[in-house]
Amino acid sequence: MRCRKCGASAVFNMRHHKLALCATHYPEWFVRQTSRAIDKYKMFTPDEHILVAVSGGKDSLALWDVLLQLGYHADGLYIDLGIHGDRNYSAHSREKALTFAEGHPEARLVIVDIPERYGESIAEVAQRKRGGERPCSVCGLVKRHEMNRIALEGGYDVLATGHNLDDEAAVLFGNVLHWQSGYLVRQGPVLPADGEGLARKVKPFCRFYERETAAYTLIQGIDYIYEECPFAEGATSLKHKAILTQMDHDAPGTKLHFYLNFLRAKEEGLFCELEEDRALLHPCESCGQPTTAPHLCAFCRLWRAHDAH
Amino acid sequence: MHVTYRNKTWEFDETMFVQQLLKRLDLLPESVLVVRNGTLVTEDQRLLPEDEVKIVAVVSGG
């Protein structure tokens, strides 16, 4: 297989784009496509300060790398969740984020250590609150809260995450299976800021297949954590990803069309927010972040119970 | 050829294409990347018995 640009031996082939590229032209294509997505969805401008949520995985490190290459002012945020497992997952992923940051002195890496700051790891708080149930929902809640907190406290204009097309298509698939109209309305490459205290969130990689971000990190020599979070095993979203990947294998481009046609349909008004879905937000009495709960937000309720023990 | 994937290893003595290797291991080409002697390769590439092959899973998240 030959590179379409220069005719050299290709290292990566994208059947859905009918495009094979070499080790020089693939990263160039990848960076250019990211830039186009940022412009198309009006994610941010060159003057704005970006906080990139970095997990130590391929997507977030690739995103941070590309944004810096494009000349954006982008700092990283790593949240240490205190996940151990057989391979000391958090320590290992934190090390990857730190190594990347060391190689990019122009950017800053903010680290939030959850057990250190709040007294319990994700698994411990999930055990106490939900009796050992899979801690993924607690993890999501903690990450969302902390990402928003750091973005606001640090004066960042926007929070960028490394969600890729496979992530977005799997979420869309799950939301469609259950006709979660409220979630469908809010799913997209940009979640606008809310004057009440929610930072703008963007997903510049939402049109890249997971395989494309992995290929970029490998070609660029970015060291990332290969292992999965030990709690991810058996997760529904992974099952949905597998189904969609099989469909894409049989008909290349299925995932991309599924997601892009959803965005188009949304733009044309297929989904609209119902009055009853429009949550009334007010500041949490403890942390000040927006919540629909009467007094404390769900995040503060997690730790308040811990304080009382 | 020495092949590794998710903490598992295989040895193959014969020459084969990347596509054939993935089929033999029952892997979808869309869910992995194949690295031969440290370099990413496409499915039409030939793998030789002396090659060191690493298959990288691309799925993440939960």
Side-chain angles (χ1 to χ4, degrees):
Chain A
M1 216 172 276
R2 297 275 150 197
C3 172
R4 191 198 280 179
K5 277 263 182 186
C6 67
S9 184
V11 296
F12 191 57
N13 180 38
M14 294 168 279
R15 283 207 301 155
H16 47 280
H17 291 315
K18 295 187 173 67
L19 179 65
L21 293 167
C22 67
T24 302
H25 290 113
Y26 178 68
E28 284 180 13
W29 175 87
F30 190 87
V31 171
R32 206 166 47 246
Q33 290 298 317
T34 308
S35 181
R36 281 185 187 166
I38 292 166
D39 294 343
K40 179 177 170 63
Y41 299 111
K42 298 181 176 59
M43 292 184 176
F44 41 79
T45 65
D47 304 327
E48 291 188 299
H49 285 203
I50 305 154
L51 182 66
V52 185
V54 175
S55 66
K58 64 184 189 310
D59 303 299
S60 56
L61 289 178
L63 176 59
W64 198 8
D65 183 78
V66 171
L67 294 182
L68 291 174
Q69 271 196 59
L70 288 169
Y72 287 104
H73 180 116
D75 288 337
L77 164 64
Y78 175 81
I79 301 175
D80 191 321
L81 301 156
I83 297 172
H84 303 301
D86 296 342
R87 293 164 177 266
N88 213 347
Y89 180 78
S90 284
H92 196 186
S93 57
R94 182 175 177 152
E95 190 190 302
K96 303 291 180 194
L98 280 166
T99 304
F100 182 91
E102 278 165 19
H104 295 81
E106 73 275 30
R108 188 172 151 244
L109 177 66
V110 180
I111 295 182
V112 175
D113 190 311
I114 296 297
E116 202 177 286
R117 186 177 170 91
Y118 296 102
E120 280 180 310
S121 71
I122 292 299
E124 286 165 344
V125 73
Q127 175 71 37
R128 177 171 54 78
K129 295 292 286 185
R130 304 185 182 180
E133 198 183 295
R134 188 197 292 277
C136 302
S137 60
V138 171
C139 183
L141 169 67
V142 169
K143 283 195 289 194
R144 281 192 300 276
H145 185 278
E146 291 301 275
M147 289 191 290
N148 196 55
R149 179 176 71 78
I150 299 294
L152 296 177
E153 285 178 8
Y156 292 96
D157 300 292
V158 58
L159 174 73
T161 58
H163 290 99
N164 58 48
L165 175 67
D166 290 64
D167 297 324
E168 292 301 295
V171 167
L172 178 60
F173 188 68
N175 286 341
V176 168
L177 278 182
H178 300 283
W179 288 115
Q180 299 271 19
S181 58
Y183 291 149
L184 286 167
V185 170
R186 285 187 291 275
Q187 188 180 354
V190 178
L191 199 58
D194 178 302
E196 307 300 316
L198 286 175
R200 187 191 335 152
K201 295 186 186 75
V202 298
K203 300 168 184 172
F205 281 179
C206 64
R207 299 192 299 185
F208 283 133
Y209 280 70
E210 196 147 33
R211 194 166 174 267
E212 292 166 3
T213 60
Y216 177 81
T217 50
L218 281 178
I219 293 169
Q220 294 297 88
I222 299 169
D223 188 21
Y224 68 93
I225 185 162
Y226 286 85
E227 291 87 18
E228 271 302 298
C229 170
F231 296 118
E233 203 185 323
T236 307
S237 60
L238 290 181
K239 290 174 190 160
H240 289 167
K241 277 188 177 183
I243 292 166
L244 291 165
T245 297
Q246 180 65 57
M247 289 168 77
D248 218 278
H249 174 73
D250 298 336
T254 299
K255 269 185 246 189
L256 191 60
H257 296 142
F258 179 48
Y259 181 63
L260 293 183
N261 289 338
F262 158 71
L263 292 184
R264 195 165 302 128
K266 220 174 77 152
E267 219 175 273
E268 288 167 1
L270 183 63
F271 305 100
C272 60
E273 200 165 15
L274 298 171
E275 193 58 47
E276 55 264 38
D277 284 346
R278 230 168 267 156
L280 286 171
L281 296 173
H282 58 85
C284 164
E285 288 176 5
S286 176
C287 69
Q289 285 206 28
T291 179
T292 52
H295 304 288
L296 295 179
C297 69
F299 176 83
C300 289
R301 289 201 305 275
L302 277 181
W303 311 108
R304 183 52 61 96
H306 174 55
D307 295 344
H309 276 75
Chain B
M1 122 198 20
H2 183 70
V3 181
T4 58
Y5 173 66
R6 288 190 190 271
N7 303 319
K8 288 184 208 148
T9 60
W10 294 265
E11 295 291 339
F12 296 104
D13 295 331
E14 69 269 40
T15 295
M16 66 177 103
F17 290 102
V18 169
Q19 221 166 17
Q20 292 171 312
L21 171 67
L22 296 181
K23 205 163 188 179
R24 197 180 276 203
L25 300 180
D26 202 20
L27 294 171
L28 285 183
E30 287 76 12
S31 64
V32 294
L33 292 170
V34 178
V35 179
R36 180 186 60 198
N37 305 324
T39 304
L40 192 60
V41 288
T42 50
E43 299 102 83
D44 63 335
Q45 289 291 302
R46 199 184 292 271
L47 302 170
L48 304 174
E50 62 270 27
D51 283 340
E52 190 67 37
V53 178
K54 184 178 173 186
I55 302 176
V56 180
V58 299
V59 181
S60 66

